[in-house]
Amino acid sequence: MAAGLRAVRRWGLVAAPPSLAFTRSAFVVRKANNAQPNWLGVGLAFGTSAALWAFLIKQHNEDVMEYERRKATAHKCKQCS
């Protein structure tokens, strides 16, 4: 039984003591500065979105053209159907 308790403590399955709850974090949270937006990030976000939409519309148009081409050249033999 004692070995089982040591394993539980070693693997961190027991709640941490309260003193460890107030350790320093590697990440620092700052208040957002709305007076100076990150224009590079804004441009990348909108540019990526526009590029993805353009690709989506281009792909859709190609798919519609392929569908129309296949529909026009469909095999219409009465003996096969």
Side-chain angles (χ1 to χ4, degrees):
M1 183 72 182
L5 289 176
R6 275 183 272 157
V8 167
R9 286 185 189 136
R10 182 182 309 140
W11 292 330
L13 299 176
V14 177
S19 63
L20 295 178
F22 299 105
T23 59
R24 290 183 61 180
S25 174
F27 303 101
V28 178
V29 177
R30 289 185 281 165
K31 191 178 231 182
N33 185 2
N34 294 329
Q36 296 176 337
N38 180 4
W39 290 113
L40 178 63
V42 171
L44 283 173
F46 280 114
T48 302
S49 179
L52 286 172
W53 272 105
F55 176 74
L56 179 71
I57 291 169
K58 177 182 162 284
Q59 189 67 41
H60 172 72
N61 290 338
E62 288 176 1
D63 290 344
V64 169
M65 285 175 36
E66 179 69 15
Y67 171 76
E68 294 294 334
R69 184 188 67 80
R70 289 186 182 197
K71 190 170 78 170
T73 61
H75 187 71
K76 296 178 181 168
C77 178
K78 293 197 186 267
Q79 294 172 349
C80 297
S81 34

